[in-house]
Amino acid sequence: MCTTCGCSEGDTRIDGAALAPHEHPADHGSAGSATQWRRHGGGAWHSHVHGGGSDAHAHGPLGAVHAPGVGAERIVRIEQDLLARNDAYAAENRRHFADHGIFALNLVSSPGSGKTSLLVRTISAWQGRTPVAVIEGDQQTSLDADRIRATGANAVQINTGKGCHLDAQMVGRAITSLAPDDDSLLMIENVGNLVCPAAFDLGEAHKVVILSVTEGEDKPLKYPDMFHAADLLVVNKVDLLPYVTFDVDRAIAYARRVRPGLEVLRVSATTGEGFAEWLAWLERGSMRARERRDANLAALRRRVALLEAKLAAAGERA
């Protein structure tokens, strides 16, 4: 069992193949070297231990965790180790994305918000810009990956089994299988869940939280960690506003109470409303990813040239 969120592990499959056990780099392998809990969007996680004994509970990144028979101090150590290991994998993913100019997004929401429909329309509208690839996360089935592949885009399906979120190791393995092109747009559709995915950095440039108008506008207050971790809120299904009692302005105000200055887009994956702004946001992010990659390469070339000059000067003196 994952003590951070309580979900089970060990049933993960990528495109139907079981995820094999994998040793993590030794410098990140012990609980004693665990990094401080953190939110991807800023701010620090704080751990608290209450009491002890066999039925103690601990407050970690996702609130109270109960594990009968396991002491609270051990729960905290396991949580720290789990998140530290995840952060190490996420750093590897982030380096890969930076080296290849890949703009990677982590799309998060509750089930039924329209993430897959948003992706399908985005892929169609994105034609002619850059390559696009998708990592699909669901507990079971390959239905969403099949929908993505039908658009002509490359996709890999991660089935988490009894797990309720993607983690950075799963994404790293999926990247190996997917092999996204340089300068591509990579969209990761996380498991439908507004709780656990908030704590797990996948190496993405941004978390994008999607809230549909068929949900309650108070979701940002009920699930603050997710909205705090996000860099963009996409309010989806705005074509249904005449038929539902959803206050968009109130929902945005609640979200910005949790994450001041949060950027917001209003879209409809059905009609295409708001897609010009969404595509422009994606284009800006993709351009920044390419510019950072080019700047890093230029800096590396300068360092190599400087080293070669120093070696040549040393050879002349000898």
Side-chain angles (χ1 to χ4, degrees):
M1 174 180 287
C2 167
T3 61
T4 300
C5 60
C7 69
S8 297
E9 297 180 313
D11 296 325
T12 303
R13 306 184 78 83
I14 297 179
D15 275 349
L19 180 65
H22 180 69
E23 286 293 327
H24 200 70
D27 58 337
H28 292 98
S30 66
S33 64
T35 56
Q36 185 184 38
W37 295 336
R38 62 179 176 79
R39 302 178 193 266
H40 182 49
W45 295 111
H46 299 281
S47 62
H48 306 278
V49 178
H50 299 280
S54 61
D55 292 323
H57 66 276
H59 287 283
L62 300 174
V65 176
H66 301 267
V70 181
E73 292 84 357
R74 176 161 173 74
I75 293 174
V76 170
R77 287 197 301 271
I78 293 171
E79 286 183 335
Q80 287 176 321
D81 188 37
L82 174 68
L83 292 175
R85 287 171 179 266
N86 183 79
D87 279 358
Y89 280 117
E92 294 170 10
N93 294 344
R94 187 167 283 112
R95 281 192 295 270
H96 178 82
F97 298 147
D99 289 347
H100 294 273
I102 296 171
F103 184 46
L105 299 176
N106 181 4
L107 275 62
V108 293
S109 77
S110 57
S113 69
K115 292 193 300 299
T116 308
S117 296
L118 179 71
L119 285 177
V120 168
R121 189 169 192 116
T122 300
I123 292 166
S124 176
W126 191 253
Q127 296 294 332
R129 290 176 171 85
T130 68
V132 60
V134 176
I135 295 174
E136 280 289 342
D138 284 299
Q139 287 189 307
Q140 299 292 344
T141 83
S142 63
L143 295 175
D144 285 350
D146 292 341
R147 288 182 63 188
I148 298 300
R149 292 180 186 125
T151 69
N154 290 331
V156 164
Q157 179 73 58
I158 300 177
N159 291 126
T160 59
K162 296 178 181 178
C164 59
H165 58 83
L166 297 180
D167 64 32
Q169 181 187 5
M170 297 176 193
V171 169
R173 296 295 186 86
I175 292 166
T176 300
S177 175
L178 188 60
D181 294 330
D182 287 2
D183 301 336
S184 63
L185 171 63
L186 174 65
M187 293 183 285
I188 305 165
E189 182 178 349
N190 217 313
V191 178
N193 182 354
L194 281 176
V195 182
C196 303
F200 287 83
D201 181 9
L202 306 181
E204 72 274 10
H206 304 287
K207 281 186 175 68
V208 177
V209 62
I210 300 165
L211 177 65
S212 74
V213 304
T214 55
E215 304 173 66
E217 61 259 14
D218 56 357
K219 281 283 181 72
L221 300 182
K222 291 181 176 180
Y223 304 95
D225 288 345
M226 180 61 78
F227 287 83
H228 184 278
D231 294 315
L232 176 68
L233 165 61
V234 174
V235 180
N236 192 24
K237 304 185 183 181
V238 295
D239 55 300
L240 298 179
L241 281 172
Y243 313 104
V244 296
T245 57
F246 183 92
D247 189 328
V248 177
D249 292 334
R250 180 178 295 176
I252 294 172
Y254 286 157
R256 286 176 173 161
R257 185 186 301 179
V258 173
R259 176 70 186 270
L262 179 65
E263 193 169 358
V264 179
L265 296 176
R266 309 180 191 203
V267 309
S268 168
T270 300
T271 67
E273 181 179 348
F275 257 67
E277 293 79 8
W278 167 237
L279 295 175
W281 189 89
L282 293 175
E283 286 178 338
R284 290 192 297 271
S286 295
M287 183 178 297
R288 286 193 297 269
R290 296 193 295 271
E291 289 173 348
R292 282 193 293 267
R293 187 270 317 278
D294 293 344
N296 290 340
L297 286 175
L300 178 60
R301 293 189 185 102
R302 289 194 295 270
R303 289 196 296 270
V304 170
L306 180 60
L307 179 59
E308 289 175 341
K310 289 182 177 178
L311 291 174
E316 290 174 359
R317 288 195 296 271

